[in-house]
Amino acid sequence: MSRRRIGFWYRLAAFLVKPTMMVLFKRDWRGMEHIPAEGGFITAVNHNSVLDPFSYAHFQYNTGRVPRFLAKDSLFSRGVAGRFMRGTGQIPVYRESSDAADAFRAAVDAVRAGECVTFYPEGTLTRDPGLWPMQGKTGAARVALATRAPVIPIAQWGAHEAMPPYAREHKFRFFPRKTLIVVAGMPVDLGEFYDQEPTAEVLREVTDRIMDAVTALLAGIREENPPAERYVHRSTSAERRGSRGAPEEEKAE
């Protein structure tokens, strides 16, 4: 299969969400030509607002290649939201798996079936004080080496102005209208790693190369230099217990 059809549930979700996004936000989208027209691929996206998935999904939907997000398996059984998760083909991550490779098996299968599988490699909203991408987790690298599919770096900026990450008061700041910037880059060159054993060191190097590409795109958007060293977030057990509604694609690492 070269690509999956968008389908009823994804079109319904777009019908419900896109008009609101177009009213509330201006858009600056670049690099759609880098999204493969056929075949499976991976996108790696930075994360600085809870609105990011809507901004990125809007961009990706308009390319004709809809994203398949990884999310905690319990979300798939929650009423209407669960029906949309299942209907739109999102990918459940089973936290009980003790093997990271097993946890990402569905993602590998989806890429091989011609899907676009999306990773937020940071695993959570960035804690970097300047909202730069943090050190990534290795899920995207694992799937990339297993499938040898293109990895498209994507940087986004602007959603945080409407809803900042970790704001004490979760108030939306829609007006004046903010501009959502989404930029897709050229595929990350990972060819030198394909014939290597996917050791922890190799996975870290591949992940860093992916995050370097995402960070470079964001630096271009912001016209600023990123920090010399990437922020490393160490989540506490309390934070893990409190993140039950967030995508959990990296918990198995």
Side-chain angles (χ1 to χ4, degrees):
M1 182 186 298
S2 61
R3 64 187 292 179
R4 176 172 175 166
R5 298 176 63 181
I6 292 177
F8 168 78
W9 284 99
Y10 232 124
R11 292 188 187 279
L12 177 59
F15 175 78
L16 295 173
V17 175
K18 281 181 63 175
T20 301
M21 296 291 291
M22 295 178 70
V23 168
L24 294 177
F25 298 103
K26 294 180 284 186
R27 296 167 304 286
D28 180 357
W29 291 344
R30 314 169 201 167
M32 284 187 173
E33 68 275 11
H34 298 309
I35 301 299
E38 300 289 342
F41 64 102
I42 298 160
T43 57
V45 192
N46 67 308
H47 197 15
N48 55 39
S49 172
V50 297
L51 295 178
D52 283 346
F54 297 99
S55 175
Y56 161 70
H58 191 181
F59 167 90
Q60 187 73 31
Y61 182 89
N62 278 34
T63 70
R65 301 301 309 274
V66 293
R68 310 296 171 182
F69 294 93
L70 287 89
K72 195 166 64 171
D73 64 294
S74 61
L75 297 177
F76 289 72
S77 59
R78 296 182 180 177
V80 175
R83 185 66 188 90
F84 270 96
M85 295 288 284
R86 298 189 301 272
T88 55
Q90 308 313 314
I91 300 172
V93 175
Y94 299 94
R95 295 183 63 187
E96 65 269 18
S97 173
S98 60
D99 188 331
D102 287 344
F104 291 97
R105 183 172 52 202
V108 170
D109 290 344
V111 172
R112 288 175 174 166
E115 304 274 6
C116 165
V117 175
T118 295
F119 284 86
Y120 286 94
E122 298 162 273
T124 187
L125 289 165
T126 184
R127 261 75 165 186
D128 182 273
L131 300 184
W132 292 98
M134 300 187 295
Q135 183 184 75
K137 299 182 184 297
T138 60
R142 293 176 187 275
V143 177
L145 295 184
T147 62
R148 302 192 178 190
V151 178
I152 309 299
I154 293 182
Q156 52 185 358
W157 190 245
H160 67 287
E161 294 179 348
M163 190 166 186
Y166 306 108
R168 292 185 178 180
E169 296 183 3
H170 293 289
K171 293 183 178 179
F172 294 98
R173 304 169 184 173
F174 291 130
F175 301 102
R177 288 174 75 205
K178 311 301 188 292
T179 299
L180 302 179
I181 304 173
V182 183
V183 180
M186 295 179 63
V188 182
D189 184 4
L190 301 176
E192 68 187 88
F193 301 103
Y194 288 156
D195 294 323
Q196 297 185 34
E197 185 72 20
T199 62
E201 292 76 15
V202 168
L203 290 170
R204 172 50 48 201
E205 190 171 352
V206 172
T207 300
D208 288 344
R209 184 167 296 188
I210 293 171
M211 295 309 297
D212 285 345
V214 174
T215 302
L217 288 175
L218 185 60
I221 293 172
R222 297 174 58 170
E223 298 183 345
E224 298 174 9
N225 293 322
E229 295 185 5
R230 193 165 288 124
Y231 186 92
V232 179
H233 174 57
R234 305 294 184 188
S235 61
T236 65
S237 58
E239 286 176 315
R240 287 192 291 269
R241 288 194 302 269
S243 63
R244 294 175 182 172
E248 295 285 345
E249 71 269 24
E250 301 293 351
K251 291 298 184 182
E253 184 179 272

PDB file of all heavy atoms in Angstrom, residues 19 63 87 115 145 249:
ATOM      1  N   PRO A  19     -12.540  25.057  10.408  1.00  0.00           N
ATOM      2  CA  PRO A  19     -13.143  26.395  10.372  1.00  0.00           C
ATOM      3  C   PRO A  19     -12.776  27.244  11.581  1.00  0.00           C
ATOM      4  O   PRO A  19     -12.497  28.447  11.448  1.00  0.00           O
ATOM      5  CB  PRO A  19     -14.647  26.105  10.307  1.00  0.00           C
ATOM      6  CG  PRO A  19     -14.742  24.750   9.691  1.00  0.00           C
ATOM      7  CD  PRO A  19     -13.571  23.996  10.225  1.00  0.00           C
ATOM      8  N   THR A  63      -1.755  18.810   3.070  1.00  0.00           N
ATOM      9  CA  THR A  63      -0.837  18.215   2.096  1.00  0.00           C
ATOM     10  C   THR A  63      -1.442  16.969   1.457  1.00  0.00           C
ATOM     11  O   THR A  63      -0.889  16.441   0.501  1.00  0.00           O
ATOM     12  CB  THR A  63       0.495  17.816   2.758  1.00  0.00           C
ATOM     13  OG1 THR A  63       0.290  16.688   3.624  1.00  0.00           O
ATOM     14  CG2 THR A  63       1.096  18.974   3.541  1.00  0.00           C
ATOM     15  N   GLY A  87     -11.255   5.911  14.734  1.00  0.00           N
ATOM     16  CA  GLY A  87     -11.707   6.147  13.370  1.00  0.00           C
ATOM     17  C   GLY A  87     -10.674   6.838  12.503  1.00  0.00           C
ATOM     18  O   GLY A  87     -10.606   6.592  11.300  1.00  0.00           O
ATOM     19  N   GLU A 115       1.913   4.780   5.700  1.00  0.00           N
ATOM     20  CA  GLU A 115       1.354   5.842   6.533  1.00  0.00           C
ATOM     21  C   GLU A 115       2.395   6.918   6.853  1.00  0.00           C
ATOM     22  O   GLU A 115       3.605   6.689   6.775  1.00  0.00           O
ATOM     23  CB  GLU A 115       0.864   5.259   7.864  1.00  0.00           C
ATOM     24  CG  GLU A 115      -0.139   4.140   7.734  1.00  0.00           C
ATOM     25  CD  GLU A 115      -1.550   4.659   7.604  1.00  0.00           C
ATOM     26  OE1 GLU A 115      -1.727   5.883   7.498  1.00  0.00           O
ATOM     27  OE2 GLU A 115      -2.471   3.834   7.617  1.00  0.00           O
ATOM     28  N   LEU A 145      15.118   3.593  11.800  1.00  0.00           N
ATOM     29  CA  LEU A 145      16.113   2.571  11.462  1.00  0.00           C
ATOM     30  C   LEU A 145      15.453   1.251  11.085  1.00  0.00           C
ATOM     31  O   LEU A 145      15.973   0.506  10.249  1.00  0.00           O
ATOM     32  CB  LEU A 145      17.071   2.370  12.628  1.00  0.00           C
ATOM     33  CG  LEU A 145      17.963   3.567  12.985  1.00  0.00           C
ATOM     34  CD1 LEU A 145      18.932   3.197  14.090  1.00  0.00           C
ATOM     35  CD2 LEU A 145      18.712   4.092  11.764  1.00  0.00           C
ATOM     36  N   GLU A 249       4.130   8.400  23.626  1.00  0.00           N
ATOM     37  CA  GLU A 249       4.854   7.593  22.686  1.00  0.00           C
ATOM     38  C   GLU A 249       6.238   7.204  23.168  1.00  0.00           C
ATOM     39  O   GLU A 249       6.846   6.294  22.643  1.00  0.00           O
ATOM     40  CB  GLU A 249       4.972   8.305  21.326  1.00  0.00           C
ATOM     41  CG  GLU A 249       5.911   9.497  21.324  1.00  0.00           C
ATOM     42  CD  GLU A 249       5.193  10.776  21.646  1.00  0.00           C
ATOM     43  OE1 GLU A 249       4.141  10.736  22.290  1.00  0.00           O
ATOM     44  OE2 GLU A 249       5.712  11.842  21.266  1.00  0.00           O
TER      45      GLU A 249
END
